[in-house]
Amino acid sequence: FLPVLSQPQLTEFVVLDVTLVDHGEAGRARGNVVWCDVEIARVADFGVNDERITVRSHLGHVLHVSDVALGYDVRTANVGLDEEELSRVYLVKK
């Protein structure tokens, strides 16, 4: 199979807020994974518009306010996904 998105499609997002999630709610994966809800804005849009996105991420142990994180903005992908899947951003790297 071919990937839907690859490294060239990574988008920069600025972290506006990080809220750690209770481990009982989301569970805990192996290693240093800490689940969090992250409020982000695209770096390209920062200061231009007020669009903010809240996503759940596994990067709670490394993300802080004003950090820049890389993620896949599935909303801009031209793929055959349903509306709910297209409204997502997946953070993958600080």
Side-chain angles (χ1 to χ4, degrees):
F1 70 91
L2 296 173
V4 174
L5 296 169
S6 60
Q7 189 173 1
Q9 285 87 25
L10 283 171
T11 303
E12 288 185 320
F13 294 91
V14 64
V15 176
L16 303 173
D17 189 32
V18 178
T19 305
L20 298 180
V21 175
D22 181 24
H23 297 296
E25 179 185 336
R28 183 176 176 93
R30 285 182 254 153
N32 292 332
V33 173
V34 177
W35 292 102
C36 64
D37 289 331
V38 185
E39 186 176 15
I40 56 175
R42 282 184 2 151
V43 168
D45 294 340
F46 198 67
V48 176
N49 64 40
D50 291 334
E51 183 182 6
R52 297 175 177 204
I53 307 158
T54 301
V55 297
R56 172 97 14 121
S57 176
H58 67 292
L59 300 173
H61 64 295
V62 295
L63 290 179
H64 304 285
V65 173
S66 78
D67 283 346
V68 174
L70 293 175
Y72 291 109
D73 190 350
V74 182
R75 302 169 306 163
T76 62
N78 187 14
V79 295
L81 298 174
D82 65 29
E83 198 64 35
E84 181 180 321
E85 291 174 311
L86 282 177
S87 65
R88 295 189 180 158
V89 172
Y90 296 95
L91 295 180
V92 295
K93 182 178 176 180
K94 177 177 175 182

